[in-house]
Amino acid sequence: MRTKSYLVEEAWKLLEDSVVYFGDRPVGTVAACDPTVEALNYDQCFVRDFVSSALVFLIRGRSDVVRNFLIETLALQSSDKQMDCFNAGRGLMPASFKVKTWEGGQYLTADFGEHAIGRVTPVDSCLWWLILLRAYVKATGDIDLAHQPEFQQGILLILKLCLADRFDMYPTMLVPDGAFMIDRRMGVDGHPIEIQALFYASLRAARELLLPGYKRDIYIQIINQRLSTLNYHIRQYYWLDLRRLNEIYRYRGEEFGEEAINKFNIYPDSIPEWVADWMPERGGYLAGNLGPARMDFRFFTLGNLMSVISSLTTVQESQGIMDLIEQRWQDLVGYMPMKICYPAVVDLEWRILTGCDPKNVPWSYHNGGNWPVLLWFLAAAAQKTGRQEMAWRAIEIAERRLSEDAWPEYYDGRNGRLVGKASRKYQTWSIAGFILANELMENPKYLSWISFDEDTEMQEWLYRLKELEASS
Ligand code: GLC
């Protein structure tokens, strides 16, 4: 078997080969370099995919690539984003971009979803952009970049878009289906935990990046209020463990008014059969989604791990999530860390939720496939919670197959034993994720670039809210 250092070096060479140049400046990485299949849009640089590459570049002293990426994507934010003459919100960041050549010159074209399959809105891009900008500043100390007027303007445009008044009674962010890594119809519209965790982390990032002054003072107040209510809402209503499950199981429906215990009118009959067996005695997780008479009991990996990394969950809940992963290892890690969500939707539910999507058949792709990129999120969460042995175990599993299988995008099957049916080979975030997981384990200091401690700034808010709740 090839040694770890051989694998990491192979990955690093592949990562360097995936770099996209704009003129002579490196500005990103392509999504995949698989010469055997049609590129579709995998020859583009995706904002969400690049975050994994970017963190590796920051670690390896190539902050220039990240800086260029941040500058170029910021410029794209103000470019035309129209579909059928409809203008998208100004703060929106593209899902991906590409370098094009025309009459001997080069220019960047972006896709804000108007070209993407299913015309999905990339809500997560602007959130990732803020998280990455903060990581760049932490890694390089170059706060001046974030303080430049164009950057401040870009941050404010994102904040305006995310914090705008809407028809909504919850502090969580309402999004259409396929607004993030799961960028196809999968029943993840509404208030998916994947977006809420990124929203929370990005607000915390923005708070650190705003230049002191008049506008900052106003925005800090708005951000703090949102952070505290969002934090309260997620901890209070999304958390699931055996105790909570018992409560929901005995819920009464149709409660009106302030006294209601079952605030969202969740009917016990909507609890899927698998949950009661699957929920471990110790530990728990955040539900996938919550709305009127709707609780999605599926476990979503990125949302849960990002909640641990950003301290959206309490210290105890974070440990609970790691406990769950440890006890449901075969289901969630199996032969390739790790599953994007659990379990898969099947039969009629698959027909209704995915619209009969042949790529998202049960235990494949977004519908319960195993994605190697998620290895680094697991490593970061393990490092944060002091559960390092879990991360090492997962890395060892990935090592056995990733390089041999030519760094696939995803794996299929209940335990991720088969290379995904339509999976790309040499998928950049699989490659970068492997390096990053190893780096995070060997040098814990890198964790602080991407993680957040319990928020003391808004503790006061929480305290007041709880008092209010108790007195009502
Ligand atoms: C697929 C994935 C998406 C990813 C893109 C590029 O569309 O669903 O999450 O960003 O490929 O790798």
Side-chain angles (χ1 to χ4, degrees), residues 168 170 172-174 189-193 196 233-234 236-239 244 248 251 262-266 287-297:
D168 216 330
Y170 315 151
T172 35
M173 190 192 274
L174 180 64
D189 53 315
H191 302 90
I193 189 61
Q196 311 316 322
H233 186 90
I234 298 287
Q236 195 75 8
Y237 306 122
Y238 277 63
W239 180 253
R244 275 287 290 152
I248 301 171
Y251 263 165
N262 179 7
K263 290 202 172 84
F264 301 92
N265 203 29
I266 308 295
N289 215 322
L290 181 69
R294 174 186 186 193
M295 180 169 259
D296 188 340
F297 288 86

Side-chain angles (χ1 to χ4, degrees), residues 31 42 46 48-49 180-181 183 365-366 371 409 427 429:
Y42 282 82
F46 280 73
R48 73 174 73 86
D49 294 42
F180 50 97
M181 179 184 182
D183 56 357
Y365 202 47
H366 298 143
W371 289 65
E409 180 187 13
Q427 178 81 18
W429 66 2

Side-chain angles (χ1 to χ4, degrees), residues 30-32 41-42 44-50 95-96 117 124 180-184 340 359 365-366 371 409 424 427-429:
V30 290
N41 54 352
Y42 282 82
Q44 305 216 2
C45 175
F46 280 73
V47 171
R48 73 174 73 86
D49 294 42
F50 182 69
S96 61
I117 297 168
D124 65 338
F180 50 97
M181 179 184 182
I182 296 179
D183 56 357
R184 295 164 88 94
I340 193 166
K359 207 169 169 182
Y365 202 47
H366 298 143
W371 289 65
E409 180 187 13
R424 305 277 146 164
Q427 178 81 18
T428 306
W429 66 2

Side-chain angles (χ1 to χ4, degrees), residues 77 81 88-93 126 154 157-158 161:
Q77 187 194 34
K81 25 181 154 336
R90 284 180 68 206
L92 197 72
M93 283 279 183
C126 60
L157 284 178
I158 297 173
L161 188 59

Side-chain angles (χ1 to χ4, degrees), residues 11-202:
W12 173 243
K13 282 203 195 85
L14 290 168
L15 184 61
E16 280 186 310
D17 290 345
S18 73
V19 170
V20 175
Y21 286 87
F22 184 30
D24 54 4
R25 295 164 61 237
V27 290
T29 48
V30 290
C33 297
D34 187 344
T36 62
V37 285
E38 193 197 345
L40 289 173
N41 54 352
Y42 282 82
D43 59 353
Q44 305 216 2
C45 175
F46 280 73
V47 171
R48 73 174 73 86
D49 294 42
F50 182 69
V51 173
S52 308
S53 306
L55 294 170
V56 175
F57 285 130
L58 290 174
I59 289 169
R60 298 247 166 159
R62 289 292 313 273
S63 59
D64 56 314
V65 193
V66 184
R67 187 186 163 91
N68 293 339
F69 169 88
L70 289 166
I71 294 170
E72 293 307 333
T73 43
L74 177 66
L76 290 172
Q77 187 194 34
S78 51
S79 66
D80 185 41
K81 25 181 154 336
Q82 253 190 13
M83 190 175 121
D84 299 336
C85 297
F86 176 74
N87 279 306
R90 284 180 68 206
L92 197 72
M93 283 279 183
S96 61
F97 65 85
K98 189 183 165 124
V99 180
K100 285 218 165 149
T101 312
W102 190 66
E103 290 191 345
Q106 283 191 332
Y107 66 100
L108 293 183
T109 57
D111 180 11
F112 290 90
E114 75 278 32
H115 301 296
I117 297 168
R119 304 293 184 260
V120 278
T121 314
V123 177
D124 65 338
S125 289
C126 60
L127 309 177
W128 276 124
W129 189 86
L130 285 173
I131 295 168
L132 181 60
L133 177 58
R134 181 242 189 192
Y136 166 84
V137 170
K138 284 223 152 206
T140 60
D142 182 12
I143 185 76
D144 290 349
L145 182 73
H147 283 174
Q148 283 177 13
E150 312 82 65
F151 272 75
Q152 289 294 305
Q153 167 76 1
I155 296 169
L156 288 183
L157 284 178
I158 297 173
L159 287 175
K160 278 185 188 150
L161 188 59
C162 293
L163 300 170
D165 291 339
R166 294 167 213 255
F167 290 108
D168 216 330
M169 283 306 294
Y170 315 151
T172 35
M173 190 192 274
L174 180 64
V175 297
D177 219 340
F180 50 97
M181 179 184 182
I182 296 179
D183 56 357
R184 295 164 88 94
R185 190 173 153 196
M186 261 296 289
V188 288
D189 53 315
H191 302 90
I193 189 61
E194 313 286 87
I195 282 290
Q196 311 316 322
L198 293 180
F199 181 31
Y200 184 75
S202 65

